[in-house]
Amino acid sequence: MLLIQRLVLEQVVEHCVRSVPHEACGALLGYGAEDGGGQPPVIISAVAITNRAERPQHTFRFDEREWLALLNETERSGLRLAGIYHSHPDSPPFPSVKDRGSVWSGLPSYWIISLASGSPKTEVYRLSHDADPYAGILTAIPYSVV
């Protein structure tokens, strides 16, 4: 189970809505144990990152400078990278084939915000790759807004 502060989730959704027709993307920061060893992970901050994809209506690619700066700041702050998020402006909140083959394998959480149905719908996954780097294994992760 993951916990996310209500204001943080609202900021993520707002960023996604503002970015239409392009996919929005960013990182989520927090603290806490990753799997049951004490308190559940709590996401307390979202950082929007510029989408530098060639076709931002259909995919996302983090701006490399912003991403590296975020990783450096995260290390200094004592928070940890709790996951990333991106939007699907016109498709369900399920990872696409391209999403599944992404480099985001192994992160604690992978959030997808769908804007396809009129009201935003959020799903959270963990993506891991075993033998085949292009066939990511998805695990749905429950979350709660606090």
Side-chain angles (χ1 to χ4, degrees), residues 6-136:
R6 181 173 309 284
L7 181 60
V8 173
L9 185 56
E10 288 171 358
Q11 290 170 339
V12 167
V13 170
E14 182 181 310
H15 175 220
C16 294
V17 169
R18 275 194 331 264
S19 298
V20 170
H22 297 159
E23 289 192 9
C25 55
L28 299 165
L29 306 176
Y31 59 88
E34 231 178 272
D35 43 14
Q39 297 294 321
V42 180
I43 296 170
I44 63 166
S45 178
V47 179
I49 298 175
T50 304
N51 182 352
R52 296 286 184 210
E54 287 183 26
R55 296 177 55 216
Q57 299 89 338
H58 305 289
T59 190
F60 74 98
R61 182 174 57 83
F62 283 170
D63 178 281
E64 291 176 23
R65 276 196 189 140
E66 292 176 30
W67 176 240
L68 290 174
L70 172 73
L71 292 178
N72 288 331
E73 181 57 33
T74 300
E75 194 171 301
R76 283 191 295 276
S77 74
L79 294 176
R80 69 178 180 86
L81 181 63
I84 64 164
Y85 71 87
H86 80 281
S87 62
H88 283 184
D90 55 9
S91 61
F94 190 77
S96 67
V97 171
K98 185 164 181 128
D99 291 340
R100 289 174 141 215
S102 77
V103 298
W104 307 113
S105 174
L107 287 177
S109 63
Y110 190 83
W111 296 65
I112 300 176
I113 295 81
S114 172
L115 305 171
S117 67
S119 65
K121 182 165 173 50
T122 302
E123 295 292 341
V124 184
Y125 303 93
R126 181 166 290 125
L127 178 65
S128 61
H129 293 147
D130 288 338
D132 184 350
Y134 297 101

